[in-house]
Amino acid sequence: MTIVIAAGGTGGHLYPAVALAREFLRRDPSTSILFVGTVRGVESRVLAHEGFELALITAKPVMGKGLLDVIRGVLSVPVGIWQALDILKRRRADLVIGVGGYTSPSMLVAAALKGIARVILEPNAHPGMANKVVAPFAQKIFLAFESAGPSFDRRKIRVVGTPIRQEFFVQATDTASTKQDGPHVLIFGGSQGAMAINSAVLEGIPLLSQRLPGLTITHQTGEGDFARVSDAYRRFGIRTKVVPFLYDLPAVLRTADLVVARAGAMTIAELTACGKAAILIPLPTAIYDHQMKNARTMEAAGGAIVLQQADLTGVKLSEMIAAVLTDPQRLEKMQRKSLEMRRIDAGEVIVGECYALMGVTHDINQSTGATGG
Protein backbone atom coordinates (compact mmCIF):
# COMPACT_ATOMS: atom_id res chain seq x y z
CA MET A 1 0.00 0.00 0.00
CA THR A 2 1.27 3.48 -0.86
CA ILE A 3 0.18 6.61 1.01
CA VAL A 4 1.03 10.05 -0.42
CA ILE A 5 0.88 12.95 2.04
CA ALA A 6 0.89 16.56 0.84
CA ALA A 7 2.15 18.61 3.76
CA GLY A 8 4.82 21.17 4.41
CA GLY A 9 5.70 24.82 4.63
CA THR A 10 5.60 24.92 8.43
CA GLY A 11 5.86 22.47 11.28
CA GLY A 12 2.18 23.03 11.98
CA HIS A 13 1.30 21.33 8.71
CA LEU A 14 4.14 18.82 8.70
CA TYR A 15 4.14 17.25 12.15
CA PRO A 16 0.48 16.11 12.14
CA ALA A 17 1.31 14.42 8.85
CA VAL A 18 4.37 12.74 10.39
CA ALA A 19 2.15 11.46 13.21
CA LEU A 20 -0.29 10.01 10.67
CA ALA A 21 2.54 8.40 8.70
CA ARG A 22 3.83 6.69 11.81
CA GLU A 23 0.36 5.42 12.68
CA PHE A 24 0.01 3.88 9.21
CA LEU A 25 3.40 2.20 9.67
CA ARG A 26 2.47 1.00 13.15
CA ARG A 27 -0.62 -0.66 11.72
CA ASP A 28 1.19 -2.07 8.68
CA PRO A 29 5.01 -1.77 8.51
CA SER A 30 4.98 -2.68 4.81
CA THR A 31 3.17 0.56 3.94
CA SER A 32 5.08 2.91 1.64
CA ILE A 33 4.89 6.57 2.66
CA LEU A 34 5.78 9.45 0.35
CA PHE A 35 5.60 13.09 1.39
CA VAL A 36 5.11 15.81 -1.22
CA GLY A 37 6.32 19.33 -0.53
CA THR A 38 8.18 22.30 -1.98
CA VAL A 39 11.65 23.76 -1.69
CA ARG A 40 10.25 26.66 0.39
CA GLY A 41 9.30 24.94 3.63
CA VAL A 42 10.91 23.08 6.52
CA GLU A 43 10.03 19.68 5.08
CA SER A 44 13.43 18.89 3.56
CA ARG A 45 15.37 18.97 6.81
CA VAL A 46 12.56 17.71 9.06
CA LEU A 47 11.63 14.71 6.91
CA ALA A 48 15.28 13.75 6.48
CA HIS A 49 15.54 13.71 10.27
CA GLU A 50 12.30 11.72 10.60
CA GLY A 51 13.37 9.19 7.96
CA PHE A 52 10.66 9.82 5.36
CA GLU A 53 11.00 10.24 1.59
CA LEU A 54 10.13 13.62 0.08
CA ALA A 55 9.14 14.48 -3.50
CA LEU A 56 9.00 18.11 -4.65
CA ILE A 57 6.42 19.80 -6.87
CA THR A 58 5.87 23.36 -8.03
CA ALA A 59 3.50 25.29 -5.77
CA LYS A 60 3.50 28.92 -4.66
CA PRO A 61 1.65 30.86 -1.95
CA VAL A 62 -1.28 33.11 -2.86
CA MET A 63 -2.91 34.35 0.36
CA GLY A 64 -1.56 37.62 1.69
CA LYS A 65 0.56 38.22 -1.42
CA GLY A 66 0.72 41.04 -3.96
CA LEU A 67 -0.87 40.85 -7.39
CA LEU A 68 2.27 39.58 -9.14
CA ASP A 69 2.76 36.80 -6.60
CA VAL A 70 -0.92 35.86 -6.85
CA ILE A 71 -0.60 35.55 -10.64
CA ARG A 72 2.51 33.42 -10.25
CA GLY A 73 0.73 31.26 -7.70
CA VAL A 74 -2.28 30.69 -9.95
CA LEU A 75 -0.06 29.89 -12.95
CA SER A 76 1.87 27.34 -10.90
CA VAL A 77 -1.28 25.26 -10.25
CA PRO A 78 -1.47 23.45 -13.63
CA VAL A 79 2.24 22.66 -13.42
CA GLY A 80 1.79 21.29 -9.90
CA ILE A 81 -1.20 19.16 -10.95
CA TRP A 82 0.76 17.69 -13.87
CA GLN A 83 3.67 16.87 -11.54
CA ALA A 84 1.23 15.39 -9.00
CA LEU A 85 -0.38 13.18 -11.64
CA ASP A 86 3.05 11.87 -12.60
CA ILE A 87 3.91 11.09 -8.97
CA LEU A 88 0.63 9.26 -8.37
CA LYS A 89 1.05 7.20 -11.52
CA ARG A 90 4.66 6.24 -10.84
CA ARG A 91 4.07 5.42 -7.17
CA ARG A 92 0.72 3.66 -7.74
CA ALA A 93 -0.81 5.54 -4.83
CA ASP A 94 -3.74 4.12 -2.87
CA LEU A 95 -4.50 7.22 -0.80
CA VAL A 96 -3.68 10.94 -0.85
CA ILE A 97 -3.84 13.00 2.33
CA GLY A 98 -3.77 16.80 2.21
CA VAL A 99 -2.85 18.74 5.36
CA GLY A 100 -3.08 22.26 3.97
CA GLY A 101 -0.27 24.36 2.59
CA TYR A 102 0.83 24.99 -0.96
CA THR A 103 0.94 21.40 -2.23
CA SER A 104 -2.43 20.08 -1.02
CA PRO A 105 -4.63 21.52 -3.82
CA SER A 106 -2.53 20.06 -6.63
CA MET A 107 -2.28 16.64 -5.01
CA LEU A 108 -5.98 16.40 -4.12
CA VAL A 109 -7.11 17.49 -7.59
CA ALA A 110 -4.74 14.99 -9.18
CA ALA A 111 -6.03 12.22 -6.90
CA ALA A 112 -9.61 13.06 -7.84
CA LEU A 113 -8.75 12.96 -11.54
CA LYS A 114 -7.24 9.48 -11.10
CA GLY A 115 -10.01 8.18 -8.85
CA ILE A 116 -7.66 7.66 -5.89
CA ALA A 117 -9.02 7.82 -2.34
CA ARG A 118 -8.41 11.27 -0.84
CA VAL A 119 -8.92 13.02 2.48
CA ILE A 120 -7.85 16.27 4.10
CA LEU A 121 -6.90 17.15 7.65
CA GLU A 122 -7.59 20.67 8.92
CA PRO A 123 -5.57 21.29 12.11
CA ASN A 124 -6.65 24.90 12.76
CA ALA A 125 -9.65 26.36 14.53
CA HIS A 126 -10.22 28.47 11.41
CA PRO A 127 -9.50 26.60 8.16
CA GLY A 128 -6.84 27.73 5.75
CA MET A 129 -7.71 28.71 2.18
CA ALA A 130 -5.97 25.68 0.66
CA ASN A 131 -8.20 23.21 2.48
CA LYS A 132 -11.36 25.21 1.82
CA VAL A 133 -10.61 25.39 -1.90
CA VAL A 134 -9.81 21.69 -2.20
CA ALA A 135 -12.58 20.42 0.10
CA PRO A 136 -15.02 19.58 -2.76
CA PHE A 137 -12.45 17.10 -4.09
CA ALA A 138 -12.02 15.34 -0.71
CA GLN A 139 -14.09 12.34 0.31
CA LYS A 140 -13.52 12.81 4.05
CA ILE A 141 -12.46 15.85 6.07
CA PHE A 142 -10.91 15.44 9.51
CA LEU A 143 -11.00 18.47 11.83
CA ALA A 144 -9.04 19.30 14.95
CA PHE A 145 -11.62 21.86 16.14
CA GLU A 146 -15.40 21.87 15.96
CA SER A 147 -15.25 25.58 15.09
CA ALA A 148 -13.86 24.70 11.64
CA GLY A 149 -16.99 22.73 10.76
CA PRO A 150 -19.10 25.48 9.11
CA SER A 151 -16.48 25.89 6.37
CA PHE A 152 -17.05 22.37 5.04
CA ASP A 153 -19.75 19.95 3.92
CA ARG A 154 -21.13 18.52 7.15
CA ARG A 155 -21.62 15.14 5.51
CA LYS A 156 -17.87 14.77 5.04
CA ILE A 157 -16.45 16.05 8.32
CA ARG A 158 -15.43 14.39 11.54
CA VAL A 159 -13.91 16.24 14.50
CA VAL A 160 -11.06 14.08 15.78
CA GLY A 161 -8.39 16.41 17.19
CA THR A 162 -4.84 16.71 15.88
CA PRO A 163 -2.68 13.63 15.27
CA ILE A 164 0.23 13.64 17.71
CA ARG A 165 3.45 11.67 17.63
CA GLN A 166 3.31 8.93 20.25
CA GLU A 167 6.48 10.23 21.94
CA PHE A 168 4.46 13.07 23.44
CA PHE A 169 2.12 10.70 25.26
CA VAL A 170 4.86 8.40 26.53
CA GLN A 171 7.01 11.20 27.87
CA ALA A 172 4.09 13.03 29.44
CA THR A 173 3.79 10.22 31.99
CA ASP A 174 7.43 10.17 33.11
CA THR A 175 8.81 13.49 34.28
CA ALA A 176 10.48 12.66 37.57
CA SER A 177 13.84 11.63 36.13
CA THR A 178 14.31 14.84 34.14
CA LYS A 179 12.94 17.47 36.55
CA GLN A 180 15.18 20.54 36.99
CA ASP A 181 16.23 21.91 40.39
CA GLY A 182 14.53 25.23 39.61
CA PRO A 183 11.74 26.30 37.27
CA HIS A 184 12.36 25.60 33.61
CA VAL A 185 10.83 27.60 30.76
CA LEU A 186 10.67 26.60 27.10
CA ILE A 187 10.62 29.48 24.61
CA PHE A 188 9.26 28.16 21.33
CA GLY A 189 8.38 30.49 18.47
CA GLY A 190 7.25 27.80 16.04
CA SER A 191 9.30 25.96 13.44
CA GLN A 192 10.76 29.19 12.06
CA GLY A 193 11.22 31.02 15.35
CA ALA A 194 9.74 34.38 16.30
CA MET A 195 11.97 37.45 16.46
CA ALA A 196 9.41 39.49 18.42
CA ILE A 197 9.26 36.84 21.15
CA ASN A 198 13.03 36.44 21.13
CA SER A 199 13.54 40.18 21.64
CA ALA A 200 10.97 40.43 24.44
CA VAL A 201 12.53 37.49 26.30
CA LEU A 202 15.99 39.02 26.10
CA GLU A 203 14.65 42.40 27.22
CA GLY A 204 13.03 40.82 30.26
CA ILE A 205 15.83 38.48 31.34
CA PRO A 206 17.27 40.87 33.99
CA LEU A 207 13.87 41.06 35.70
CA LEU A 208 13.35 37.30 35.49
CA SER A 209 16.80 36.66 36.96
CA GLN A 210 15.85 38.73 40.01
CA ARG A 211 12.42 37.13 40.50
CA LEU A 212 13.46 33.54 39.69
CA PRO A 213 17.16 33.09 40.53
CA GLY A 214 17.12 29.32 39.81
CA LEU A 215 15.49 29.72 36.40
CA THR A 216 16.72 27.72 33.42
CA ILE A 217 15.59 28.22 29.83
CA THR A 218 15.47 26.24 26.61
CA HIS A 219 15.02 28.64 23.70
CA GLN A 220 14.35 27.80 20.05
CA THR A 221 15.28 30.90 18.11
CA GLY A 222 14.83 30.06 14.43
CA GLU A 223 17.81 29.94 12.07
CA GLY A 224 17.96 33.68 11.42
CA ASP A 225 18.06 34.82 15.06
CA PHE A 226 20.24 32.12 16.59
CA ALA A 227 23.52 34.06 16.79
CA ARG A 228 21.96 37.20 18.28
CA VAL A 229 20.03 35.35 20.98
CA SER A 230 22.95 33.07 21.85
CA ASP A 231 25.27 36.05 22.30
CA ALA A 232 22.76 37.86 24.49
CA TYR A 233 22.29 34.90 26.83
CA ARG A 234 26.06 34.55 27.23
CA ARG A 235 26.26 38.16 28.37
CA PHE A 236 23.46 37.64 30.91
CA GLY A 237 25.01 34.49 32.36
CA ILE A 238 21.66 32.65 32.43
CA ARG A 239 21.65 28.84 32.28
CA THR A 240 20.17 28.23 28.87
CA LYS A 241 20.12 25.83 25.97
CA VAL A 242 19.73 27.82 22.76
CA VAL A 243 18.98 26.02 19.48
CA PRO A 244 17.82 27.18 16.03
CA PHE A 245 15.39 24.25 15.69
CA LEU A 246 14.00 21.60 18.07
CA TYR A 247 13.91 18.19 16.43
CA ASP A 248 13.06 16.34 19.65
CA LEU A 249 10.33 18.56 21.03
CA PRO A 250 8.72 15.77 23.12
CA ALA A 251 11.90 15.35 25.17
CA VAL A 252 12.26 19.10 25.67
CA LEU A 253 8.62 19.56 26.68
CA ARG A 254 9.09 16.88 29.31
CA THR A 255 11.40 19.18 31.28
CA ALA A 256 9.35 22.39 30.96
CA ASP A 257 7.23 23.86 33.75
CA LEU A 258 5.92 26.65 31.53
CA VAL A 259 6.03 27.25 27.78
CA VAL A 260 6.09 30.58 25.97
CA ALA A 261 4.97 29.94 22.40
CA ARG A 262 3.07 30.96 19.31
CA ALA A 263 -0.38 29.41 18.96
CA GLY A 264 -0.32 27.22 15.90
CA ALA A 265 -2.72 24.29 16.03
CA MET A 266 0.11 21.78 16.29
CA THR A 267 1.67 23.70 19.17
CA ILE A 268 -1.65 23.66 21.05
CA ALA A 269 -2.06 19.94 20.44
CA GLU A 270 1.46 19.16 21.64
CA LEU A 271 1.15 21.35 24.73
CA THR A 272 -2.10 19.67 25.76
CA ALA A 273 -0.74 16.21 24.98
CA CYS A 274 1.91 16.81 27.64
CA GLY A 275 -0.30 18.84 29.97
CA LYS A 276 1.84 21.96 29.82
CA ALA A 277 0.84 25.42 30.98
CA ALA A 278 1.54 28.12 28.43
CA ILE A 279 1.76 31.80 27.71
CA LEU A 280 0.60 32.04 24.11
CA ILE A 281 1.55 34.93 21.83
CA PRO A 282 -0.42 34.41 18.59
CA LEU A 283 1.18 35.42 15.32
CA PRO A 284 -0.74 38.61 14.41
CA THR A 285 -0.20 38.15 10.67
CA ALA A 286 -1.61 34.61 10.55
CA ILE A 287 -4.25 34.25 7.85
CA TYR A 288 -7.79 34.69 9.28
CA ASP A 289 -6.18 35.31 12.69
CA HIS A 290 -6.40 31.55 13.25
CA GLN A 291 -3.64 31.55 15.88
CA MET A 292 -5.64 33.88 18.09
CA LYS A 293 -8.65 31.57 17.77
CA ASN A 294 -6.46 28.58 18.69
CA ALA A 295 -5.02 30.45 21.67
CA ARG A 296 -8.37 31.63 22.99
CA THR A 297 -9.63 28.04 22.90
CA MET A 298 -6.83 26.91 25.20
CA GLU A 299 -7.17 29.99 27.40
CA ALA A 300 -10.91 29.40 27.81
CA ALA A 301 -10.16 25.86 28.96
CA GLY A 302 -7.82 27.22 31.63
CA GLY A 303 -4.53 25.88 30.29
CA ALA A 304 -3.01 29.06 28.91
CA ILE A 305 -2.77 32.83 29.13
CA VAL A 306 -2.95 34.84 25.92
CA LEU A 307 -0.63 37.81 25.40
CA GLN A 308 -1.24 39.73 22.19
CA GLN A 309 1.88 40.74 20.32
CA ALA A 310 0.72 44.36 20.31
CA ASP A 311 1.03 44.27 24.11
CA LEU A 312 4.27 42.29 24.16
CA THR A 313 7.16 43.86 26.06
CA GLY A 314 10.02 42.35 27.99
CA VAL A 315 8.63 43.62 31.28
CA LYS A 316 5.08 42.37 30.57
CA LEU A 317 6.23 38.91 29.50
CA SER A 318 8.62 38.57 32.43
CA GLU A 319 5.93 39.57 34.91
CA MET A 320 3.54 36.99 33.45
CA ILE A 321 6.15 34.21 33.58
CA ALA A 322 7.08 35.08 37.16
CA ALA A 323 3.43 35.32 38.23
CA VAL A 324 2.74 31.76 37.08
CA LEU A 325 5.96 30.16 38.27
CA THR A 326 5.80 31.71 41.76
CA ASP A 327 2.24 30.45 42.28
CA PRO A 328 2.41 26.62 42.45
CA GLN A 329 -1.35 26.20 42.76
CA ARG A 330 -2.00 28.32 39.68
CA LEU A 331 0.67 26.46 37.71
CA GLU A 332 -0.70 23.07 38.73
CA LYS A 333 -4.24 24.06 37.78
CA MET A 334 -3.13 25.31 34.35
CA GLN A 335 -1.23 22.09 33.73
CA ARG A 336 -4.23 20.01 34.74
CA LYS A 337 -6.61 22.00 32.52
CA SER A 338 -4.18 21.70 29.63
CA LEU A 339 -4.02 17.93 30.00
CA GLU A 340 -7.83 17.72 30.06
CA MET A 341 -7.88 19.18 26.53
CA ARG A 342 -5.73 16.53 24.91
CA ARG A 343 -6.97 14.05 22.33
CA ILE A 344 -4.94 10.86 22.22
CA ASP A 345 -6.69 8.87 19.50
CA ALA A 346 -6.85 11.25 16.53
CA GLY A 347 -4.23 9.38 14.50
CA GLU A 348 -5.85 5.99 15.12
CA VAL A 349 -9.29 7.28 14.17
CA ILE A 350 -8.09 8.90 10.95
CA VAL A 351 -6.09 5.88 9.84
CA GLY A 352 -9.00 3.56 10.60
CA GLU A 353 -11.37 5.67 8.51
CA CYS A 354 -8.84 5.87 5.70
CA TYR A 355 -8.66 2.07 5.58
CA ALA A 356 -12.45 1.95 5.38
CA LEU A 357 -12.48 4.53 2.59
CA MET A 358 -10.01 2.47 0.58
CA GLY A 359 -11.99 -0.71 1.17
CA VAL A 360 -9.02 -2.23 2.95
CA THR A 361 -9.40 -5.22 5.25
CA HIS A 362 -6.82 -4.79 7.97
CA ASP A 363 -5.97 -6.52 11.19
CA ILE A 364 -2.81 -6.90 13.26
CA ASN A 365 -1.48 -9.59 10.91
CA GLN A 366 -2.78 -8.50 7.52
CA SER A 367 -3.33 -5.45 5.33
CA THR A 368 -4.70 -5.89 1.84
CA GLY A 369 -6.25 -3.53 -0.67
CA ALA A 370 -6.46 -2.61 -4.29
CA THR A 371 -3.61 -0.62 -5.70
CA GLY A 372 -4.47 2.51 -7.66
CA GLY A 373 -3.24 2.89 -11.22
Side-chain angles (χ1 to χ4, degrees):
M1 176 185 298
T2 298
I3 312 295
V4 176
I5 304 177
T10 68
H13 287 129
L14 193 57
Y15 279 114
V18 169
L20 277 182
R22 289 187 177 173
E23 179 60 21
F24 275 109
L25 291 171
R26 186 188 71 82
R27 297 274 290 267
D28 181 1
S30 70
T31 301
S32 174
I33 304 287
L34 175 68
F35 280 81
V36 177
T38 71
V39 297
R40 300 173 58 89
V42 301
E43 48 264 39
S44 293
R45 68 175 187 267
V46 169
L47 292 173
H49 183 269
E50 297 289 340
F52 288 107
E53 182 183 0
L54 172 66
L56 301 177
I57 67 172
T58 300
K60 299 181 184 298
V62 173
M63 294 302 297
K65 300 296 181 180
L67 178 60
L68 185 58
D69 286 332
V70 170
I71 294 172
R72 288 171 177 163
V74 172
L75 292 177
S76 73
V77 172
V79 177
I81 293 174
W82 180 84
Q83 293 169 330
L85 287 167
D86 182 61
I87 289 172
L88 296 179
K89 180 180 179 180
R90 286 188 291 105
R91 300 307 292 261
R92 296 178 60 81
D94 297 284
L95 173 70
V96 172
I97 302 173
V99 195
Y102 313 144
T103 58
S104 283
S106 295
M107 293 306 304
L108 266 289
V109 170
L113 290 173
K114 291 186 68 65
I116 296 170
R118 55 213 175 269
V119 304
I120 60 177
L121 169 64
E122 175 50 66
N124 287 300
H126 189 101
M129 179 57 71
N131 275 346
K132 288 198 289 188
V133 167
V134 83
F137 297 95
Q139 293 165 289
K140 286 185 177 292
I141 301 170
F142 301 104
L143 307 180
F145 296 93
E146 179 67 43
S147 59
S151 297
F152 301 108
D153 184 340
R154 280 282 175 184
R155 294 168 296 180
K156 295 182 178 182
I157 67 172
R158 181 165 180 186
V159 181
V160 297
T162 302
I164 301 290
R165 290 168 285 166
Q166 289 299 310
E167 295 92 327
F168 284 99
F169 302 124
V170 172
Q171 293 178 351
T173 64
D174 178 18
T175 59
S177 62
T178 57
K179 181 65 180 158
Q180 306 289 325
D181 293 334
H184 186 66
V185 174
L186 169 62
I187 313 294
F188 175 65
S191 57
Q192 300 177 36
M195 186 172 291
I197 295 177
N198 295 345
S199 297
V201 171
L202 297 180
E203 179 189 340
I205 282 296
L207 177 59
L208 273 180
S209 300
Q210 295 175 5
R211 295 284 303 274
L212 300 164
L215 178 70
T216 58
I217 295 174
T218 297
H219 192 145
Q220 178 187 294
T221 62
E223 296 285 351
D225 216 15
F226 175 69
R228 178 179 75 100
V229 176
S230 299
D231 290 343
Y233 275 123
R234 279 193 289 269
R235 293 196 302 271
F236 289 130
I238 301 293
R239 288 188 296 163
T240 58
K241 179 179 180 181
V242 184
V243 294
F245 189 85
L246 284 169
Y247 287 104
D248 194 0
L249 184 58
V252 176
L253 268 180
R254 180 166 125 176
T255 67
D257 296 291
L258 179 67
V259 180
V260 177
R262 289 298 194 193
M266 195 68 210
T267 296
I268 303 295
E270 290 166 348
L271 290 171
T272 58
C274 295
K276 294 301 176 180
I279 296 172
L280 299 176
I281 306 167
L283 178 66
T285 57
I287 300 296
Y288 306 117
D289 203 23
H290 71 262
Q291 286 207 9
M292 180 60 74
K293 295 178 174 67
N294 297 341
R296 292 299 186 194
T297 298
M298 188 171 178
E299 182 181 54
I305 305 167
V306 175
L307 173 58
Q308 296 190 56
Q309 186 162 304
D311 300 324
L312 176 63
T313 66
V315 171
K316 179 70 171 176
L317 180 59
S318 297
E319 288 177 343
M320 292 176 71
I321 292 172
V324 174
L325 291 179
T326 56
D327 187 343
Q329 290 185 335
R330 182 183 186 186
L331 177 61
E332 187 279 331
K333 182 179 179 180
M334 289 178 67
Q335 291 171 339
R336 176 165 43 84
K337 293 297 185 180
S338 173
L339 191 63
E340 289 174 359
M341 287 185 66
R342 78 173 183 168
R343 297 284 297 266
I344 65 174
D345 62 346
E348 294 180 8
V349 171
I350 293 172
V351 170
E353 295 214 5
C354 286
Y355 278 128
L357 179 64
M358 290 183 286
V360 169
T361 300
H362 178 274
D363 59 33
I364 193 168
N365 298 311
Q366 182 181 12
S367 178
T368 59
T371 302

